[in-house]
Amino acid sequence: MLGTHYNKHLGLALVFLFFMFCNINAQEKQRTSIDLVSYLKLLETRYDIKFSYIDKDLDGLTIVVPENLNAIEEIIQYIEGTFRIEAEKLNGRYYTLSKNSRVNICGIVLDNFADNTVTGATVEVLGTDVAKITDNNGSFSLENVPRNASLQIRYLGYVTKYVKIETLLQQRGCPKILLAQYYEQLDEVFVYKYLTSGIIKEKDASITLNTAKFGILPGLIEPDILQTVQALPGIKSIDETVSDINVRGGTNDQNLILWNGIKMYQSGHFFGLISAFNPYQTDKVTVYKNGTPTNFGDGVSSVIQMETGNSIPESFKGGGGFNLISGDVYAEIPVSNKLGVQFSARRSATDFLSTPTYKQFINRAFQDSEITLQNNSTVNDEFIRDEDFFFYDFSGKILYDLNDDHKIRLSAIHIKNNLKFEETNVSADQTNISLLKQDNISVGGQLQSNWTNRFSTNLNIYYSKYNLDAQNVFANQVQQLFQNNQVTENALKLNSNYVLTDELSWSNGYQYIETGIINATKINQPNFISEIKGVIRTHAPYSQVNYNSSGNKFIGKIGARVNLIENLNTFQKVLIEPRINLNFKLANYIRAEVLGEFKSQTTNQVIDLEQNFLGIEKRRWILSNDKSLPVTKSKQGSVGINYEKNNFYVGVEGFYKKVDGISTSTQGFQNPYQFSGEIGSYDVKGIELLINKKGDNYSTWLSYAYNKNDYTFDSIVPQSFPNNLDIRHTVTFASTYTYKDLKLSIGLNYRTGKPFTEPVDGDEGLDDDFVPPRINFQSPNNSRLPDYFRADASAIYNFQLSRNIRANAGLSILNFTDRKNTLNKYYRVNENDEIETIENFSLGITPNVSFRVSF
């Protein structure tokens, strides 16, 4: 009984304490959050003052009591800033409070599902004609709008949201406004997120890469831009480099590579094995394989557009890291609310540190070849090799906002490769020395203007200079060869966009490009000097209509570009290039796309002395002259179908592309036609398939590409034969898995071998009627290399070093099966008048590790 009585008293005590706590807590809330009118009365009593105001202006407003404020002037200033109320002191005791009928407001529109900014949302002040479009950061600002009005915020694919301006005024700064996605109404997907995080297929069939959100891919521990795009169907490098990216059977010089709107004539480090663009400063990469917008000219194969961050950072951000090849740093610095600075710098450690990765890269570039004679005996000459090699790149950007509607962006980039390579044939007591210096310096500026809520312009001006100096010293300095290739380009582009309705917009613009190229060659034995200069100017007006139907059932872009091309004292040409990009709904979860384009380009790369070890980096830019090298023109059409439901995606696309005005000197021939300069064309028929299944912590995909790529040269027998880049079948199978802070990825790559040309069998393979003797070749590209297979893996672990410093460590292994893939095979006549067979091989097993910090 005593225990029962005790428990009853204990229970009553606990109940009493609970109610006491609730009462104290309620009193505390009442003291800290109070009706504004009641708080003003407390102030009147405490400070012996009087407030005069209209009751309806303050009805419903509550205030969090500023405990750290004691002076009445500070408290009144706090009330003014919190409620956008104007306070006026009439004398020592009396104050008036009044609401401003018109106010300035700002906000940031976000996707409340992915917490991403919503760019291009319409923000309208109801009951007025005031409206604005959110910028690249999802931000907007409105001036002198009615305080009692409401905002209507709309964006396709999201629920329309209504917000009272009065509600926004009660929040400090620029409040965040969250939009809910409206899946039920649309019953479809507009963009497809596949492979790994940060890769999206947009509704216009372009592919965007967000490097900040990049996940992991097999063999990559850092988001190398030009390595990452090779994970996409239809984009590969036949020789494992980023300097030779082949898009739907095209050569690398047929890709238009842009950095902040500047055309880049150099894209790789370390003979193309590493991208020359720092991914940690690059914010977004967009890839077009077909259906290119009319504001892009040049590049008959593809467009790869890289953009750095375009908004002034709110706080300092930066980081750095290293791997077994190089180290880098980057930073984003807010100087003021109108001025910001970005920069990145990277340098190799290859000239003072030899790592396993560096050794494999060097073997790939210089040593990993096998030379056999016609009788299949191996050349066993002993070689001593020594190299001194380094590279660096630096990029920077200044961001200045004149105001909310006019913004200036200034960009600069410097890329450099420097090599000295010495090779001594011990058996022949002969030393060859090769020197290579490669530089690219580019600067550009942009003025981005919103003239009204419907009309905007973008002015882009740039200057770019690329320079390649190569020197080869043969046979103990008996023969010396000097080569120089210099490209200078000035360009101006003005683009405008006018929003006619919510569904219809009209883009127009004009582009002027002046490109000058110098090619110089000097040989001492025999004495030979050549210098070829040329300048081409292109004037290109363009126009495009963009239409999005209600609910996005139909999305279309139709336009044309007119190129007036003039090569001084040589030719003038007018080319009209229509473009079409259609996307429409077939059924729930199924959309189709129809793409087509005409394109042209006036710059190409000549590939001479391909057997020289400098390889891809030895290619030299030249201009079209409408004689030995005409303007290259392409026509392409494609049809695709995309299905996505429950994170399961299937996309298939068939295409046909024809490219005219190519030369054998630009295609990498290693047979009699290498130097003949025959003019012809190639056409590609192909199918690309991607199947991707994603889960919360994994992604698995299978991609397949079929290409039938054939040359046509009227003056070659036979006239039609397989293209040097005719890879009939390409298959990729890969998977990524994330467990907490650990990311894992593994992938398999398979493709059929590339074509090559063999000599005639037996003694007839060598023609002794010429001095020196020449090789008699069989029909062009009559043979194929063995099939290519490579397996890659990578892992990244993320962790916190401190509260504000994040870090990650990565490990990758390229070709972990150590398969010996033949990348190229060609023939030459040696000093003993024998036919030599030279084979170049892929990277062997290549490990790499990285460590990075960011803050």
Side-chain angles (χ1 to χ4, degrees):
M1 291 295 295
L2 180 62
T4 302
H5 183 73
Y6 174 81
N7 288 336
K8 286 182 179 179
H9 281 78
L10 178 60
L12 289 172
L14 291 174
V15 170
F16 176 78
L17 291 174
F18 174 77
F19 279 107
M20 284 290 292
F21 173 81
C22 292
N23 184 52
I24 293 171
N25 189 51
Q27 291 178 2
E28 179 67 20
K29 285 186 177 180
Q30 188 175 2
R31 284 196 303 268
T32 57
S33 179
I34 188 172
D35 178 80
L36 179 58
V37 173
S38 300
Y39 182 62
L40 293 176
K41 292 180 179 179
L42 290 175
L43 294 178
E44 288 178 336
T45 302
R46 182 183 306 169
Y47 294 97
D48 191 24
I49 57 177
K50 287 291 183 180
F51 291 103
S52 176
Y53 49 84
I54 301 175
D55 289 343
K56 67 177 182 178
D57 283 350
L58 307 186
D59 284 347
L61 300 181
T62 59
I63 184 173
V64 176
V65 177
E67 297 180 354
N68 60 332
L69 301 180
N70 296 314
I72 186 60
E73 290 78 9
E74 294 178 343
I75 296 174
I76 291 176
Q77 187 177 0
Y78 175 80
I79 293 173
E80 284 182 308
T82 302
F83 300 102
R84 309 290 177 92
I85 291 176
E86 184 178 347
E88 182 180 356
K89 186 175 182 180
L90 301 179
N91 52 43
R93 190 178 178 215
Y94 288 89
Y95 293 82
T96 62
L97 300 178
S98 60
K99 276 188 176 181
N100 294 323
S101 61
R102 306 189 74 86
V103 294
N104 300 332
I105 60 169
C106 63
I108 303 173
V109 180
L110 298 174
D111 174 350
N112 71 344
F113 177 75
D115 199 28
N116 295 324
T117 57
V118 179
T119 302
T122 302
V123 182
E124 181 181 355
V125 181
L126 295 178
T128 72
D129 59 356
V130 176
K132 205 158 193 178
I133 305 297
T134 57
D135 62 16
N136 292 335
N137 303 313
S139 301
F140 69 91
S141 61
L142 301 168
E143 297 179 356
N144 198 30
V145 295
R147 181 177 188 133
N148 60 352
S150 295
L151 298 181
Q152 177 184 264
I153 304 172
R154 294 174 296 147
Y155 191 71
L156 292 173
Y158 294 87
V159 178
T160 299
K161 187 159 189 174
Y162 299 90
V163 181
K164 291 183 177 180
I165 291 178
E166 187 68 60
T167 302
L168 297 179
L169 294 176
Q170 295 180 30
Q171 304 178 49
R172 284 191 167 274
C174 296
K176 296 179 179 179
I177 303 172
L178 305 183
L179 295 187
Q181 294 184 359
Y182 198 175
Y183 294 109
E184 292 76 16
Q185 178 182 354
L186 300 175
D187 200 23
E188 62 178 332
V189 178
F190 302 114
V191 295
Y192 308 106
K193 302 179 181 180
Y194 55 52
L195 303 189
T196 189
S197 58
I199 301 180
I200 297 174
K201 182 174 182 179
E202 304 286 356
K203 56 191 177 185
D204 64 353
S206 66
I207 308 295
T208 60
L209 314 176
N210 186 324
T211 56
K213 298 180 180 179
F214 181 77
I216 188 172
L217 286 174
L220 292 181
I221 47 179
E222 296 179 309
D224 186 294
I225 295 166
L226 298 182
Q227 290 283 8
T228 301
V229 301
Q230 295 181 44
L232 306 174
I235 304 179
K236 293 295 177 185
S237 174
I238 204 168
D239 61 1
E240 298 185 330
T241 69
V242 299
S243 292
D244 194 12
I245 294 177
N246 314 121
V247 180
R248 291 183 172 176
T251 53
N252 184 75
D253 59 335
Q254 294 173 353
N255 300 316
L256 173 62
I257 299 177
L258 299 171
W259 182 83
N260 282 343
I262 305 171
K263 182 177 179 180
M264 305 305 298
Y265 286 91
Q266 179 183 350
S267 58
H269 287 310
F270 217 130
F271 308 99
L273 295 173
I274 301 171
S275 170
F277 308 100
N278 193 313
Y280 299 101
Q281 189 187 4
T282 305
D283 180 61
K284 179 182 177 183
V285 182
T286 305
V287 180
Y288 295 94
K289 293 186 287 185
N290 192 12
T292 309
T294 58
N295 60 305
F296 294 108
D298 215 357
V300 297
S301 259
S302 73
V303 175
I304 301 175
Q305 179 182 224
M306 294 167 282
E307 301 172 85
T308 58
N310 203 44
S311 59
I312 297 173
E314 296 181 358
S315 59
F316 176 82
K317 292 189 295 184
F322 63 87
N323 54 41
L324 296 185
I325 293 294
S326 63
D328 74 280
V329 294
Y330 72 95
E332 297 181 9
I333 305 170
V335 179
S336 69
N337 61 348
K338 289 191 174 185
L339 179 64
V341 176
Q342 303 172 359
F343 75 87
S344 67
R346 172 172 51 174
R347 193 193 189 281
S348 68
T350 52
D351 51 339
F352 60 85
L353 181 64
S354 180
T355 65
T357 309
Y358 172 69
K359 291 178 181 178
Q360 286 293 345
F361 280 13
I362 284 292
N363 287 337
R364 164 68 180 80
F366 305 130
Q367 302 173 26
D368 198 3
S369 62
E370 185 175 285
I371 302 176
T372 57
L373 300 177
Q374 196 172 15
N375 58 9
N376 290 325
S377 61
T378 302
V379 176
N380 292 317
D381 289 347
E382 181 183 352
F383 289 91
I384 298 176
R385 297 179 172 93
D386 182 40
E387 72 282 335
D388 183 12
F389 171 72
F390 72 90
F391 66 80
Y392 67 80
D393 57 73
F394 174 84
S395 59
K397 187 173 183 179
I398 298 174
L399 308 94
Y400 180 67
D401 292 353
L402 295 171
N403 51 47
D404 291 340
D405 294 321
H406 301 281
K407 301 177 181 180
I408 296 175
R409 304 292 184 258
L410 303 175
S411 304
I413 186 170
H414 183 201
I415 303 168
K416 185 176 183 65
N417 286 282
N418 198 317
L419 167 73
K420 179 181 180 181
F421 182 79
E422 186 174 308
E423 181 181 69
T424 301
N425 186 328
V426 177
S427 303
D429 190 25
Q430 191 174 88
T431 299
N432 296 333
I433 300 174
S434 295
L435 305 173
L436 175 71
K437 293 183 179 180
Q438 191 179 27
D439 287 273
N440 191 105
I441 300 176
S442 302
V443 293
Q446 295 182 358
L447 174 60
Q448 303 161 3
S449 300
N450 294 317
W451 301 98
T452 70
N453 60 327
R454 294 183 178 274
F455 181 68
S456 62
T457 60
N458 190 333
L459 175 64
N460 181 30
I461 302 174
Y462 71 81
Y463 166 82
S464 185
K465 183 177 181 180
Y466 166 78
N467 189 79
L468 171 69
D469 288 314
Q471 178 182 354
N472 294 336
V473 182
F474 303 104
N476 296 327
Q477 303 187 16
V478 173
Q479 185 185 55
Q480 298 185 24
L481 167 66
F482 300 89
Q483 288 182 306
N484 172 255
N485 181 214
Q486 186 177 122
V487 182
T488 303
E489 185 164 285
N490 306 292
L492 177 149
K493 180 190 285 187
L494 176 62
N495 187 73
S496 69
N497 185 63
Y498 183 69
V499 180
L500 299 168
T501 67
D502 289 344
E503 292 81 23
L504 186 65
S505 65
W506 186 22
S507 299
N508 294 278
Y510 165 79
Q511 185 174 17
Y512 169 77
I513 304 175
E514 181 183 79
T515 306
I517 295 182
I518 298 175
N519 270 297
T521 303
K522 182 179 179 181
I523 303 176
N524 67 330
Q525 286 191 5
N527 189 34
F528 174 80
I529 298 176
S530 171
E531 183 173 272
I532 301 173
K533 299 180 180 180
V535 177
I536 279 185
R537 297 189 179 106
T538 303
H539 303 266
Y542 56 86
S543 183
Q544 178 173 291
V545 175
N546 312 294
Y547 178 76
N548 283 29
S549 68
S550 177
N552 278 285
K553 293 182 179 180
F554 175 79
I555 304 168
K557 298 180 180 180
I558 299 176
R561 181 184 181 92
V562 180
N563 291 324
L564 172 60
I565 303 170
E566 54 180 4
N567 188 327
L568 300 184
N569 304 320
T570 306
F571 72 93
Q572 285 190 344
K573 190 179 292 290
V574 177
L575 299 177
I576 300 176
E577 300 175 355
R579 313 276 175 89
I580 185 171
N581 190 317
L582 308 177
N583 186 300
F584 48 90
K585 179 180 179 180
L586 292 179
N588 288 340
Y589 315 110
I590 301 177
R591 297 186 70 88
E593 56 195 27
V594 177
L595 311 173
E597 64 182 21
F598 283 40
K599 297 177 75 176
S600 64
Q601 67 181 66
T602 57
T603 56
N604 295 271
Q605 280 183 314
V606 171
I607 309 172
D608 57 357
L609 304 177
E610 179 68 10
Q611 67 270 22
N612 187 283
F613 76 90
L614 293 175
I616 181 66
E617 301 297 347
K618 195 65 167 358
R619 299 183 178 194
R620 298 191 294 171
W621 289 98
I622 62 172
L623 287 172
S624 299
N625 54 26
D626 212 33
K627 294 179 181 179
S628 60
L629 184 62
V631 175
T632 307
K633 295 177 287 186
S634 72
K635 303 173 184 177
Q636 184 179 186
S638 63
V639 177
I641 296 178
N642 303 290
Y643 169 85
E644 183 179 42
K645 184 180 181 182
N646 298 330
N647 288 322
F648 178 71
Y649 171 85
V650 178
V652 61
E653 185 173 6
F655 69 91
Y656 173 77
K657 179 170 70 173
K658 183 176 179 61
V659 179
D660 294 299
I662 64 169
S663 169
T664 55
S665 61
T666 66
Q667 296 295 302
F669 280 92
Q670 291 175 307
N671 53 35
Y673 309 109
Q674 176 180 349
F675 304 104
S676 63
E678 306 293 341
I679 303 300
S681 64
Y682 71 85
D683 61 272
V684 191
K685 308 176 186 71
I687 296 175
E688 297 167 1
L689 170 69
L690 176 64
I691 302 173
N692 183 206
K693 174 60 179 175
K694 296 182 69 176
D696 292 338
N697 56 359
Y698 73 91
S699 178
T700 300
W701 66 91
L702 172 70
S703 70
Y704 168 75
Y706 168 80
N707 282 2
K708 188 177 186 302
N709 191 350
D710 294 316
Y711 286 125
T712 299
F713 290 96
D714 294 338
S715 55
I716 295 178
V717 179
Q719 293 181 344
S720 182
F721 53 91
N723 192 300
N724 296 333
L725 301 175
D726 179 44
I727 305 298
R728 292 295 171 89
H729 305 281
T730 303
V731 179
T732 299
F733 178 75
S735 185
T736 66
Y737 179 75
T738 301
Y739 177 73
K740 295 183 179 179
D741 294 320
L742 179 65
K743 299 177 182 178
L744 303 171
S745 184
I746 188 170
L748 309 175
N749 297 279
Y750 164 84
R751 65 171 182 259
T752 51
K754 71 177 283 255
F756 71 102
T757 307
E758 291 190 291
V760 174
D761 294 333
D763 295 337
E764 297 181 359
L766 197 64
D767 191 343
D768 295 322
D769 294 337
F770 294 91
V771 179
R774 296 182 181 179
I775 299 175
N776 288 324
F777 285 94
Q778 300 180 28
S779 297
N781 289 343
N782 64 321
S783 302
R784 286 185 179 269
L785 297 176
D787 292 350
Y788 175 96
F789 175 83
R790 196 175 89 176
D792 305 324
S794 54
I796 299 175
Y797 180 70
N798 297 294
F799 55 96
Q800 292 284 139
L801 285 179
S802 67
R803 181 176 180 181
N804 297 318
I805 300 178
R806 302 176 301 278
N808 70 65
L811 169 66
S812 68
I813 303 178
L814 299 175
N815 192 17
F816 62 75
T817 63
D818 204 20
R819 177 182 171 92
K820 193 174 185 179
N821 292 298
T822 303
L823 297 178
N824 195 19
K825 189 175 184 179
Y826 62 93
Y827 303 86
R828 68 188 181 194
V829 179
N830 65 15
E831 295 177 351
N832 299 319
D833 294 340
E834 300 171 298
I835 298 178
E836 291 182 341
T837 303
I838 295 90
E839 288 186 272
N840 297 122
F841 300 103
S842 64
L843 285 168
I845 182 170
T846 306
N848 199 2
V849 297
S850 69
F851 176 77
R852 301 199 62 82
V853 296
S854 59
F855 41 84

